[in-house]
Amino acid sequence: MAESQGYRPNVALKPYTTLKAGGPAEWFQVVTSVDDFAAAAIRSQEDQHDTTILGSGSNVLPSDDGVPGLTILNRTRKIEIKPNGEVIADTGCSFQELFLKTVQAGFRGLEFAVGIPGSLGGALVSNAGAYRSCVSEFLIELEIVFEGRRQWVLPEWMQFSYRDSVLRRADPPQAVVLRVRMELPRGEAKRSYDEAREYQRQRIGKQPPSPSAGSFFKNVNDWKLAESLSSLPSGLKSAGVVPAGYLIEAAGLKGYRVGGAALGQRHANFILNIDNATATDIYRLAQTAKQRVHSQFGVTLEEEVLYLGDWTRIFG
């Protein structure tokens, strides 16, 4: 790689993540158009470099030992909304901005996006959602770069499930999502704004001000466990859903600290960077939460946050 091609070496990633932790990218490039994004991804795949995509950095934790290969910062922003409710959006756009623009155009469906700090691309990788909705239900097609070729694929290619996609799996395909085509139903703006404001009100009551990645762990879908928890709200029992924060708090870890990282006092499923935490501090705190919850409840929490880069020194 060379700086003459737009790459920058050894760029700190802390400023580009909401957790404000982690080491540098070996090589770093910023893209602002979908064509430049595609060209960078094609070149990286043809050269067989490890490629990491960053959007808003809200659901990732780079290793203190850095991220090998090329990290592309996706700053593509274009959103096109057609009169029939078809939306074509670059994956670098803000998920919340996508909601606002679609409501202003007379469509609904993305109200749950309010308060989710990430980009559309990050939302796709983790099939982001809330309040019984998720981003994948509105997709028609995705434009990707895969095996050095730019192409449109159906949503099935992503293998979406609860807070998951093929791009989150172990040894994921080296693919980059450039744009999506969505279809949204007609809606009434006031109703959408009212619904979104209520979601935002609920989030504000839970989310602490310190740097975090939002919810660190996925909720647990386990009917038997839900039924066994006497203090779990009836709505969650009937759905068979146990919030990760409920389990962490019940394990006595609210406010628990490792180095500069702490589990939230307001919401135990938030890992907060309260005192210049390292990525290693955050990772070790997450492992403590997983071990305590497994010991007490027999379930293994699964991270929503993705660990980026070289963790061999920590993982062993």
Side-chain angles (χ1 to χ4, degrees):
M1 295 188 189
E3 293 183 61
S4 61
Q5 293 179 301
Y7 302 135
R8 293 158 51 199
N10 199 38
V11 173
L13 294 178
K14 287 173 67 170
Y16 300 105
T17 68
T18 60
L19 272 165
K20 304 303 179 190
E26 182 180 7
W27 293 94
F28 187 79
Q29 182 178 13
V30 181
V31 295
T32 57
S33 76
V34 71
D35 289 337
D36 287 347
F37 191 16
I42 289 169
R43 184 167 60 242
S44 186
Q45 289 178 9
E46 287 178 342
D47 293 342
Q48 298 185 332
H49 295 307
D50 291 332
T51 308
T52 300
I53 310 302
L54 273 186
S56 299
S58 62
N59 214 27
V60 295
L61 181 62
S63 166
D64 290 322
D65 291 339
V67 179
L70 174 64
T71 297
I72 301 175
L73 184 64
N74 180 9
R75 289 289 184 253
T76 62
R77 295 284 193 264
K78 187 175 180 181
I79 299 171
E80 180 184 358
I81 305 171
K82 299 183 179 180
N84 64 352
E86 183 180 328
V87 179
I88 301 175
D90 292 351
T91 53
C93 75
S94 156
F95 197 26
Q96 181 162 295
E97 181 187 9
L98 180 61
F99 157 69
L100 291 171
K101 287 194 171 181
T102 56
V103 168
Q104 290 163 4
F107 299 98
R108 63 171 286 107
L110 299 179
E111 290 78 9
F112 69 91
V114 170
I116 295 178
S119 66
L120 174 59
L124 292 166
V125 170
S126 295
N127 194 17
Y131 309 107
R132 296 167 297 282
S133 293
C134 60
V135 65
S136 62
E137 66 190 87
F138 301 103
L139 295 176
I140 301 172
E141 287 184 298
L142 304 94
E143 188 179 25
I144 67 171
V145 172
F146 180 53
E147 296 181 339
R149 187 164 69 91
R150 186 173 177 177
Q151 57 191 292
W152 286 91
V153 296
L154 296 176
E156 288 77 10
W157 190 92
M158 290 284 286
Q159 299 178 32
F160 289 115
S161 60
Y162 171 69
R163 303 294 181 269
D164 196 30
S165 77
V166 69
L167 297 182
R168 285 186 57 97
R169 313 278 165 77
D171 194 24
Q174 283 290 300
V176 171
V177 184
L178 306 172
R179 294 187 291 177
V180 302
R181 184 176 283 116
M182 312 175 78
E183 189 170 73
L184 297 175
R186 278 272 167 202
E188 196 275 310
K190 182 180 184 305
R191 178 182 172 189
S192 290
Y193 285 130
D194 287 347
E195 187 176 328
R197 272 192 290 270
E198 175 57 20
Y199 293 159
Q200 181 74 320
R201 184 192 66 77
Q202 293 180 37
R203 284 197 170 101
I204 289 171
K206 298 175 182 176
Q207 294 181 355
S210 301
S212 77
S215 295
F216 202 92
F217 296 102
K218 300 178 185 181
N219 291 335
V220 175
N221 292 290
D222 188 320
W223 294 90
K224 186 175 180 181
L225 176 62
E227 189 59 37
S228 72
L229 299 170
S230 59
S231 61
L232 190 70
S234 58
L236 293 171
K237 279 192 177 187
S238 62
V241 174
V242 185
Y246 174 99
L247 296 172
I248 294 168
E249 181 175 355
L253 290 175
K254 217 173 189 183
Y256 189 87
R257 182 168 173 170
V258 172
L263 288 161
Q265 289 281 5
R266 187 183 300 178
H267 192 308
N269 195 20
F270 281 67
I271 292 183
L272 311 178
N273 186 341
I274 60 172
D275 187 16
N276 198 30
T278 64
T280 303
D281 290 340
I282 294 167
Y283 172 78
R284 286 179 172 154
L285 180 55
Q287 298 315 298
T288 297
K290 291 176 72 171
Q291 290 160 8
R292 291 274 193 95
V293 167
H294 186 270
S295 175
Q296 186 161 335
F297 298 102
V299 295
T300 301
L301 294 177
E302 184 179 350
E303 288 89 342
E304 283 196 34
V305 169
L306 289 167
Y307 299 117
L308 304 180
D310 180 8
W311 290 86
T312 52
R313 181 173 58 85
I314 307 301
F315 291 165

Short mmCIF file of all heavy atoms in Angstrom, two decimals, residues 165-223:
data_model
loop_
_atom_site.label_atom_id
_atom_site.label_comp_id
_atom_site.label_asym_id
_atom_site.label_seq_id
_atom_site.Cartn_x
_atom_site.Cartn_y
_atom_site.Cartn_z
N SER A 165 -25.92 -11.04 11.06
CA SER A 165 -25.87 -11.27 9.62
C SER A 165 -24.63 -12.09 9.33
O SER A 165 -23.79 -12.31 10.22
CB SER A 165 -25.82 -9.95 8.85
OG SER A 165 -24.51 -9.39 8.90
N VAL A 166 -24.48 -12.50 8.08
CA VAL A 166 -23.31 -13.29 7.70
C VAL A 166 -22.01 -12.52 7.93
O VAL A 166 -20.96 -13.12 8.16
CB VAL A 166 -23.42 -13.76 6.23
CG1 VAL A 166 -23.27 -12.58 5.26
CG2 VAL A 166 -22.40 -14.83 5.91
N LEU A 167 -22.08 -11.18 7.92
CA LEU A 167 -20.87 -10.38 8.08
C LEU A 167 -20.41 -10.29 9.53
O LEU A 167 -19.33 -9.75 9.80
CB LEU A 167 -21.10 -8.98 7.51
CG LEU A 167 -21.38 -8.93 6.01
CD1 LEU A 167 -21.55 -7.49 5.53
CD2 LEU A 167 -20.28 -9.63 5.21
N ARG A 168 -21.20 -10.82 10.46
CA ARG A 168 -20.79 -10.88 11.87
C ARG A 168 -20.24 -12.26 12.25
O ARG A 168 -19.73 -12.42 13.36
CB ARG A 168 -21.99 -10.58 12.79
CG ARG A 168 -22.41 -9.14 12.86
CD ARG A 168 -23.50 -9.00 13.91
NE ARG A 168 -23.03 -9.48 15.20
CZ ARG A 168 -22.55 -8.71 16.18
NH1 ARG A 168 -22.48 -7.41 16.00
NH2 ARG A 168 -22.14 -9.22 17.32
N ARG A 169 -20.39 -13.24 11.38
CA ARG A 169 -20.03 -14.61 11.75
C ARG A 169 -18.52 -14.81 11.82
O ARG A 169 -17.74 -13.99 11.33
CB ARG A 169 -20.63 -15.60 10.73
CG ARG A 169 -22.09 -15.36 10.39
CD ARG A 169 -23.05 -15.93 11.39
NE ARG A 169 -24.40 -15.38 11.23
CZ ARG A 169 -25.25 -15.74 10.28
NH1 ARG A 169 -24.92 -16.67 9.40
NH2 ARG A 169 -26.45 -15.17 10.23
N ALA A 170 -18.12 -15.92 12.39
CA ALA A 170 -16.71 -16.29 12.40
C ALA A 170 -16.25 -16.48 10.96
O ALA A 170 -16.95 -17.09 10.15
CB ALA A 170 -16.51 -17.58 13.20
N ASP A 171 -15.08 -15.92 10.63
CA ASP A 171 -14.52 -16.00 9.28
C ASP A 171 -15.55 -15.53 8.24
O ASP A 171 -15.92 -16.29 7.33
CB ASP A 171 -14.06 -17.42 8.96
CG ASP A 171 -13.17 -17.46 7.72
OD1 ASP A 171 -12.55 -16.43 7.40
OD2 ASP A 171 -13.11 -18.54 7.09
N PRO A 172 -16.02 -14.29 8.33
CA PRO A 172 -17.05 -13.81 7.41
C PRO A 172 -16.50 -13.62 6.01
O PRO A 172 -15.28 -13.49 5.81
CB PRO A 172 -17.44 -12.45 8.02
CG PRO A 172 -16.19 -12.00 8.68
CD PRO A 172 -15.56 -13.24 9.24
N PRO A 173 -17.37 -13.59 5.00
CA PRO A 173 -16.89 -13.32 3.64
C PRO A 173 -16.32 -11.91 3.56
O PRO A 173 -16.79 -10.99 4.25
CB PRO A 173 -18.17 -13.44 2.79
CG PRO A 173 -19.30 -13.21 3.74
CD PRO A 173 -18.84 -13.77 5.05
N GLN A 174 -15.28 -11.74 2.75
CA GLN A 174 -14.70 -10.41 2.56
C GLN A 174 -15.60 -9.65 1.58
O GLN A 174 -15.36 -9.59 0.38
CB GLN A 174 -13.28 -10.52 2.03
CG GLN A 174 -12.26 -10.90 3.09
CD GLN A 174 -12.02 -9.78 4.09
OE1 GLN A 174 -11.60 -8.69 3.72
NE2 GLN A 174 -12.28 -10.04 5.36
N ALA A 175 -16.65 -9.07 2.12
CA ALA A 175 -17.63 -8.33 1.33
C ALA A 175 -17.84 -6.96 1.93
O ALA A 175 -17.73 -6.77 3.15
CB ALA A 175 -18.94 -9.09 1.25
N VAL A 176 -18.17 -6.00 1.09
CA VAL A 176 -18.42 -4.63 1.50
C VAL A 176 -19.79 -4.23 0.97
O VAL A 176 -20.08 -4.43 -0.21
CB VAL A 176 -17.33 -3.68 0.95
CG1 VAL A 176 -17.70 -2.23 1.19
CG2 VAL A 176 -15.98 -4.00 1.57
N VAL A 177 -20.65 -3.69 1.83
CA VAL A 177 -21.98 -3.25 1.42
C VAL A 177 -21.92 -1.76 1.10
O VAL A 177 -21.61 -0.95 1.97
CB VAL A 177 -23.04 -3.53 2.50
CG1 VAL A 177 -24.42 -3.16 1.98
CG2 VAL A 177 -23.00 -5.00 2.91
N LEU A 178 -22.23 -1.42 -0.15
CA LEU A 178 -22.12 -0.04 -0.63
C LEU A 178 -23.41 0.76 -0.46
O LEU A 178 -23.40 1.90 0.02
CB LEU A 178 -21.75 -0.03 -2.12
CG LEU A 178 -20.52 -0.81 -2.55
CD1 LEU A 178 -20.45 -0.85 -4.07
CD2 LEU A 178 -19.27 -0.17 -1.98
N ARG A 179 -24.51 0.16 -0.91
CA ARG A 179 -25.81 0.84 -0.91
C ARG A 179 -26.90 -0.18 -0.68
O ARG A 179 -26.68 -1.39 -0.82
CB ARG A 179 -26.09 1.52 -2.27
CG ARG A 179 -25.19 2.65 -2.64
CD ARG A 179 -25.67 3.33 -3.91
NE ARG A 179 -25.52 2.50 -5.09
CZ ARG A 179 -25.91 2.84 -6.32
NH1 ARG A 179 -26.52 4.01 -6.50
NH2 ARG A 179 -25.72 2.04 -7.34
N VAL A 180 -28.09 0.31 -0.34
CA VAL A 180 -29.25 -0.57 -0.25
C VAL A 180 -30.41 0.04 -1.00
O VAL A 180 -30.48 1.26 -1.21
CB VAL A 180 -29.69 -0.82 1.22
CG1 VAL A 180 -28.56 -1.42 2.03
CG2 VAL A 180 -30.20 0.45 1.87
N ARG A 181 -31.31 -0.84 -1.40
CA ARG A 181 -32.61 -0.42 -1.94
C ARG A 181 -33.67 -0.93 -0.97
O ARG A 181 -33.71 -2.13 -0.66
CB ARG A 181 -32.81 -0.99 -3.34
CG ARG A 181 -34.11 -0.50 -4.00
CD ARG A 181 -34.23 -1.01 -5.43
NE ARG A 181 -33.37 -0.24 -6.32
CZ ARG A 181 -32.35 -0.73 -6.99
NH1 ARG A 181 -32.02 -2.01 -6.86
NH2 ARG A 181 -31.63 0.03 -7.79
N MET A 182 -34.50 -0.02 -0.47
CA MET A 182 -35.53 -0.36 0.51
C MET A 182 -36.90 0.03 -0.04
O MET A 182 -37.00 0.83 -0.98
CB MET A 182 -35.30 0.38 1.84
CG MET A 182 -33.90 0.32 2.37
SD MET A 182 -33.68 1.33 3.86
CE MET A 182 -34.42 0.24 5.08
N GLU A 183 -37.92 -0.51 0.57
CA GLU A 183 -39.29 -0.11 0.24
C GLU A 183 -40.04 0.13 1.54
O GLU A 183 -40.14 -0.77 2.38
CB GLU A 183 -39.98 -1.19 -0.60
CG GLU A 183 -41.32 -0.74 -1.16
CD GLU A 183 -41.86 -1.75 -2.16
OE1 GLU A 183 -42.31 -2.82 -1.72
OE2 GLU A 183 -41.80 -1.47 -3.37
N LEU A 184 -40.57 1.35 1.70
CA LEU A 184 -41.26 1.74 2.91
C LEU A 184 -42.72 2.05 2.63
O LEU A 184 -43.06 2.56 1.55
CB LEU A 184 -40.60 2.98 3.52
CG LEU A 184 -39.14 2.83 3.98
CD1 LEU A 184 -38.59 4.17 4.44
CD2 LEU A 184 -39.02 1.79 5.07
N PRO A 185 -43.60 1.76 3.59
CA PRO A 185 -45.02 2.07 3.40
C PRO A 185 -45.30 3.55 3.64
O PRO A 185 -44.54 4.25 4.32
CB PRO A 185 -45.71 1.21 4.47
CG PRO A 185 -44.69 1.08 5.55
CD PRO A 185 -43.34 1.05 4.85
N ARG A 186 -46.41 4.02 3.06
CA ARG A 186 -46.87 5.38 3.32
C ARG A 186 -47.20 5.56 4.80
O ARG A 186 -47.63 4.62 5.46
CB ARG A 186 -48.12 5.67 2.50
CG ARG A 186 -47.84 6.06 1.06
CD ARG A 186 -47.64 7.54 0.95
NE ARG A 186 -47.06 7.90 -0.35
CZ ARG A 186 -46.41 9.00 -0.58
NH1 ARG A 186 -46.18 9.85 0.41
NH2 ARG A 186 -45.94 9.28 -1.77
N GLY A 187 -46.97 6.76 5.30
CA GLY A 187 -47.25 7.02 6.71
C GLY A 187 -47.68 8.45 6.93
O GLY A 187 -47.60 9.29 6.02
N GLU A 188 -48.10 8.71 8.15
CA GLU A 188 -48.52 10.06 8.53
C GLU A 188 -47.45 10.61 9.45
O GLU A 188 -47.09 10.01 10.47
CB GLU A 188 -49.88 9.97 9.24
CG GLU A 188 -50.60 11.32 9.36
CD GLU A 188 -50.13 12.06 10.60
OE1 GLU A 188 -50.11 11.47 11.68
OE2 GLU A 188 -49.76 13.26 10.45
N ALA A 189 -46.90 11.77 9.09
CA ALA A 189 -45.70 12.28 9.75
C ALA A 189 -45.89 12.47 11.25
O ALA A 189 -45.02 12.09 12.04
CB ALA A 189 -45.28 13.59 9.10
N LYS A 190 -47.01 13.02 11.66
CA LYS A 190 -47.21 13.28 13.09
C LYS A 190 -47.16 11.99 13.89
O LYS A 190 -46.54 11.91 14.96
CB LYS A 190 -48.53 14.00 13.35
CG LYS A 190 -48.73 14.34 14.83
CD LYS A 190 -50.03 15.06 15.08
CE LYS A 190 -50.15 15.46 16.56
NZ LYS A 190 -50.00 14.33 17.48
N ARG A 191 -47.82 10.97 13.39
CA ARG A 191 -47.81 9.68 14.09
C ARG A 191 -46.38 9.14 14.20
O ARG A 191 -45.97 8.63 15.25
CB ARG A 191 -48.71 8.69 13.36
CG ARG A 191 -48.73 7.31 14.00
CD ARG A 191 -49.60 6.37 13.20
NE ARG A 191 -49.48 4.99 13.68
CZ ARG A 191 -49.99 3.94 13.06
NH1 ARG A 191 -50.68 4.09 11.95
NH2 ARG A 191 -49.83 2.73 13.56
N SER A 192 -45.62 9.25 13.10
CA SER A 192 -44.25 8.74 13.10
C SER A 192 -43.38 9.52 14.09
O SER A 192 -42.59 8.93 14.84
CB SER A 192 -43.65 8.84 11.70
OG SER A 192 -44.25 7.91 10.83
N TYR A 193 -43.51 10.84 14.09
CA TYR A 193 -42.72 11.65 15.02
C TYR A 193 -43.10 11.36 16.47
O TYR A 193 -42.23 11.28 17.35
CB TYR A 193 -42.90 13.13 14.72
CG TYR A 193 -42.16 13.62 13.49
CD1 TYR A 193 -42.81 14.36 12.51
CD2 TYR A 193 -40.80 13.36 13.31
CE1 TYR A 193 -42.14 14.81 11.39
CE2 TYR A 193 -40.12 13.80 12.19
CZ TYR A 193 -40.79 14.53 11.23
OH TYR A 193 -40.12 14.97 10.12
N ASP A 194 -44.38 11.20 16.74
CA ASP A 194 -44.82 10.89 18.10
C ASP A 194 -44.25 9.55 18.57
O ASP A 194 -43.78 9.42 19.70
CB ASP A 194 -46.35 10.86 18.18
CG ASP A 194 -46.98 12.24 18.10
OD1 ASP A 194 -46.24 13.24 18.24
OD2 ASP A 194 -48.21 12.31 17.89
N GLU A 195 -44.30 8.57 17.68
CA GLU A 195 -43.76 7.25 18.01
C GLU A 195 -42.25 7.34 18.26
O GLU A 195 -41.72 6.78 19.23
CB GLU A 195 -44.06 6.28 16.87
CG GLU A 195 -43.70 4.84 17.15
CD GLU A 195 -44.11 3.92 16.00
OE1 GLU A 195 -45.13 4.21 15.32
OE2 GLU A 195 -43.40 2.92 15.76
N ALA A 196 -41.54 8.06 17.38
CA ALA A 196 -40.10 8.19 17.52
C ALA A 196 -39.72 8.93 18.79
O ALA A 196 -38.75 8.58 19.46
CB ALA A 196 -39.53 8.91 16.30
N ARG A 197 -40.50 9.97 19.14
CA ARG A 197 -40.21 10.72 20.36
C ARG A 197 -40.35 9.83 21.60
O ARG A 197 -39.58 9.94 22.55
CB ARG A 197 -41.13 11.94 20.47
CG ARG A 197 -40.58 13.19 19.78
CD ARG A 197 -41.37 14.42 20.17
NE ARG A 197 -42.70 14.41 19.59
CZ ARG A 197 -43.00 14.94 18.41
NH1 ARG A 197 -42.07 15.50 17.67
NH2 ARG A 197 -44.25 14.89 17.95
N GLU A 198 -41.34 8.94 21.59
CA GLU A 198 -41.51 8.04 22.72
C GLU A 198 -40.33 7.07 22.81
O GLU A 198 -39.82 6.80 23.91
CB GLU A 198 -42.82 7.26 22.58
CG GLU A 198 -43.04 6.19 23.65
CD GLU A 198 -43.01 6.71 25.08
OE1 GLU A 198 -43.21 7.93 25.29
OE2 GLU A 198 -42.77 5.90 26.00
N TYR A 199 -39.87 6.54 21.67
CA TYR A 199 -38.70 5.68 21.69
C TYR A 199 -37.48 6.44 22.21
O TYR A 199 -36.69 5.91 23.01
CB TYR A 199 -38.39 5.16 20.28
CG TYR A 199 -39.42 4.21 19.72
CD1 TYR A 199 -39.52 4.01 18.34
CD2 TYR A 199 -40.30 3.51 20.53
CE1 TYR A 199 -40.46 3.13 17.81
CE2 TYR A 199 -41.24 2.64 20.01
CZ TYR A 199 -41.32 2.46 18.65
OH TYR A 199 -42.24 1.60 18.12
N GLN A 200 -37.33 7.68 21.75
CA GLN A 200 -36.19 8.49 22.19
C GLN A 200 -36.27 8.76 23.69
O GLN A 200 -35.25 8.71 24.40
CB GLN A 200 -36.16 9.81 21.41
CG GLN A 200 -35.01 10.73 21.76
CD GLN A 200 -33.68 10.26 21.21
OE1 GLN A 200 -33.38 9.06 21.22
NE2 GLN A 200 -32.87 11.18 20.73
N ARG A 201 -37.47 9.03 24.19
CA ARG A 201 -37.63 9.27 25.63
C ARG A 201 -37.18 8.05 26.43
O ARG A 201 -36.49 8.17 27.44
CB ARG A 201 -39.10 9.59 25.94
CG ARG A 201 -39.34 9.96 27.40
CD ARG A 201 -40.81 9.98 27.72
NE ARG A 201 -41.41 8.66 27.62
CZ ARG A 201 -41.29 7.71 28.53
NH1 ARG A 201 -40.57 7.92 29.63
NH2 ARG A 201 -41.86 6.53 28.37
N GLN A 202 -37.57 6.86 25.97
CA GLN A 202 -37.18 5.64 26.67
C GLN A 202 -35.66 5.44 26.63
O GLN A 202 -35.05 5.02 27.62
CB GLN A 202 -37.89 4.44 26.04
CG GLN A 202 -39.39 4.44 26.24
CD GLN A 202 -40.05 3.23 25.60
OE1 GLN A 202 -39.52 2.13 25.60
NE2 GLN A 202 -41.23 3.44 25.03
N ARG A 203 -35.05 5.75 25.49
CA ARG A 203 -33.60 5.59 25.37
C ARG A 203 -32.86 6.56 26.27
O ARG A 203 -31.86 6.20 26.90
CB ARG A 203 -33.17 5.77 23.91
CG ARG A 203 -33.48 4.58 23.02
CD ARG A 203 -32.68 4.65 21.74
NE ARG A 203 -32.80 3.39 21.02
CZ ARG A 203 -33.60 3.21 19.98
NH1 ARG A 203 -34.36 4.20 19.55
NH2 ARG A 203 -33.66 2.04 19.37
N ILE A 204 -33.30 7.82 26.29
CA ILE A 204 -32.62 8.81 27.11
C ILE A 204 -32.62 8.40 28.57
O ILE A 204 -31.65 8.62 29.31
CB ILE A 204 -33.28 10.19 26.93
CG1 ILE A 204 -32.96 10.73 25.53
CG2 ILE A 204 -32.81 11.18 28.00
CD1 ILE A 204 -33.72 11.98 25.16
N GLY A 205 -33.69 7.76 29.02
CA GLY A 205 -33.77 7.30 30.40
C GLY A 205 -32.80 6.18 30.72
O GLY A 205 -32.49 5.94 31.89
N LYS A 206 -32.31 5.50 29.68
CA LYS A 206 -31.42 4.36 29.90
C LYS A 206 -29.96 4.67 29.59
O LYS A 206 -29.06 4.06 30.16
CB LYS A 206 -31.85 3.18 29.01
CG LYS A 206 -33.24 2.65 29.29
CD LYS A 206 -33.60 1.58 28.27
CE LYS A 206 -35.01 1.04 28.46
NZ LYS A 206 -35.39 0.07 27.42
N GLN A 207 -29.72 5.57 28.64
CA GLN A 207 -28.38 5.73 28.12
C GLN A 207 -27.57 6.73 28.93
O GLN A 207 -27.98 7.88 29.10
CB GLN A 207 -28.45 6.17 26.65
CG GLN A 207 -29.03 5.09 25.76
CD GLN A 207 -29.09 5.49 24.31
OE1 GLN A 207 -28.78 6.62 23.95
NE2 GLN A 207 -29.50 4.57 23.45
N PRO A 208 -26.40 6.32 29.42
CA PRO A 208 -25.55 7.21 30.21
C PRO A 208 -24.76 8.14 29.30
O PRO A 208 -24.61 7.90 28.10
CB PRO A 208 -24.63 6.22 30.93
CG PRO A 208 -24.55 5.06 30.00
CD PRO A 208 -25.87 4.96 29.31
N PRO A 209 -24.21 9.24 29.88
CA PRO A 209 -23.48 10.20 29.05
C PRO A 209 -22.05 9.78 28.70
O PRO A 209 -21.48 10.31 27.75
CB PRO A 209 -23.47 11.46 29.94
CG PRO A 209 -23.56 10.94 31.33
CD PRO A 209 -24.41 9.71 31.26
N SER A 210 -21.45 8.88 29.44
CA SER A 210 -20.06 8.48 29.17
C SER A 210 -19.96 7.74 27.85
O SER A 210 -20.93 7.15 27.38
CB SER A 210 -19.55 7.58 30.30
OG SER A 210 -19.62 8.23 31.54
N PRO A 211 -18.74 7.76 27.22
CA PRO A 211 -18.56 7.01 25.97
C PRO A 211 -18.93 5.54 26.12
O PRO A 211 -18.54 4.89 27.09
CB PRO A 211 -17.06 7.17 25.69
CG PRO A 211 -16.69 8.46 26.35
CD PRO A 211 -17.53 8.51 27.59
N SER A 212 -19.69 5.03 25.17
CA SER A 212 -20.10 3.63 25.19
C SER A 212 -20.40 3.19 23.77
O SER A 212 -20.34 3.98 22.83
CB SER A 212 -21.36 3.44 26.06
OG SER A 212 -22.52 3.87 25.36
N ALA A 213 -20.75 1.92 23.62
CA ALA A 213 -21.15 1.39 22.32
C ALA A 213 -22.65 1.14 22.29
O ALA A 213 -23.14 0.41 21.44
CB ALA A 213 -20.40 0.10 22.02
N GLY A 214 -23.38 1.72 23.23
CA GLY A 214 -24.79 1.35 23.38
C GLY A 214 -24.86 0.00 24.05
O GLY A 214 -23.98 -0.39 24.83
N SER A 215 -25.90 -0.75 23.74
CA SER A 215 -26.04 -2.08 24.34
C SER A 215 -24.87 -2.96 23.92
O SER A 215 -24.62 -3.14 22.73
CB SER A 215 -27.35 -2.73 23.89
OG SER A 215 -28.45 -1.99 24.38
N PHE A 216 -24.15 -3.49 24.90
CA PHE A 216 -22.94 -4.27 24.59
C PHE A 216 -23.27 -5.70 24.21
O PHE A 216 -22.63 -6.29 23.34
CB PHE A 216 -21.98 -4.26 25.78
CG PHE A 216 -20.56 -4.54 25.41
CD1 PHE A 216 -19.69 -3.50 25.10
CD2 PHE A 216 -20.08 -5.84 25.34
CE1 PHE A 216 -18.37 -3.74 24.73
CE2 PHE A 216 -18.76 -6.10 24.98
CZ PHE A 216 -17.91 -5.04 24.66
N PHE A 217 -24.30 -6.28 24.86
CA PHE A 217 -24.68 -7.67 24.62
C PHE A 217 -26.08 -7.75 24.02
O PHE A 217 -26.93 -6.89 24.25
CB PHE A 217 -24.65 -8.47 25.92
CG PHE A 217 -23.31 -8.57 26.56
CD1 PHE A 217 -22.97 -7.79 27.65
CD2 PHE A 217 -22.35 -9.46 26.08
CE1 PHE A 217 -21.73 -7.87 28.25
CE2 PHE A 217 -21.10 -9.56 26.67
CZ PHE A 217 -20.78 -8.76 27.75
N LYS A 218 -26.31 -8.82 23.29
CA LYS A 218 -27.65 -9.11 22.77
C LYS A 218 -28.54 -9.60 23.90
O LYS A 218 -28.05 -10.24 24.85
CB LYS A 218 -27.58 -10.20 21.69
CG LYS A 218 -26.73 -9.85 20.48
CD LYS A 218 -26.69 -11.03 19.52
CE LYS A 218 -25.75 -10.77 18.36
NZ LYS A 218 -25.72 -11.91 17.40
N ASN A 219 -29.83 -9.34 23.80
CA ASN A 219 -30.77 -9.93 24.74
C ASN A 219 -30.85 -11.44 24.52
O ASN A 219 -30.50 -11.94 23.45
CB ASN A 219 -32.14 -9.29 24.60
CG ASN A 219 -32.15 -7.85 25.09
OD1 ASN A 219 -31.34 -7.46 25.92
ND2 ASN A 219 -33.06 -7.06 24.56
N VAL A 220 -31.31 -12.15 25.51
CA VAL A 220 -31.35 -13.61 25.47
C VAL A 220 -32.77 -14.07 25.15
O VAL A 220 -33.73 -13.65 25.82
CB VAL A 220 -30.89 -14.21 26.82
CG1 VAL A 220 -31.04 -15.73 26.82
CG2 VAL A 220 -29.45 -13.80 27.11
N ASN A 221 -32.91 -14.89 24.13
CA ASN A 221 -34.20 -15.50 23.79
C ASN A 221 -34.24 -16.90 24.40
O ASN A 221 -33.61 -17.83 23.86
CB ASN A 221 -34.39 -15.54 22.28
CG ASN A 221 -34.56 -14.16 21.68
OD1 ASN A 221 -35.57 -13.51 21.88
ND2 ASN A 221 -33.55 -13.69 20.97
N ASP A 222 -34.94 -17.05 25.50
CA ASP A 222 -34.96 -18.32 26.22
C ASP A 222 -36.25 -18.38 27.04
O ASP A 222 -36.36 -17.77 28.10
CB ASP A 222 -33.73 -18.43 27.12
CG ASP A 222 -33.58 -19.80 27.78
OD1 ASP A 222 -34.60 -20.37 28.19
OD2 ASP A 222 -32.43 -20.27 27.90
N TRP A 223 -37.26 -19.09 26.53
CA TRP A 223 -38.57 -19.15 27.18
C TRP A 223 -38.47 -19.72 28.59
O TRP A 223 -39.08 -19.20 29.52
CB TRP A 223 -39.52 -20.01 26.35
CG TRP A 223 -39.87 -19.42 25.03
CD1 TRP A 223 -39.21 -19.61 23.84
CD2 TRP A 223 -40.95 -18.54 24.75
NE1 TRP A 223 -39.82 -18.89 22.85
CE2 TRP A 223 -40.89 -18.23 23.36
CE3 TRP A 223 -41.97 -17.97 25.52
CZ2 TRP A 223 -41.81 -17.39 22.75
CZ3 TRP A 223 -42.88 -17.14 24.90
CH2 TRP A 223 -42.80 -16.85 23.54
#
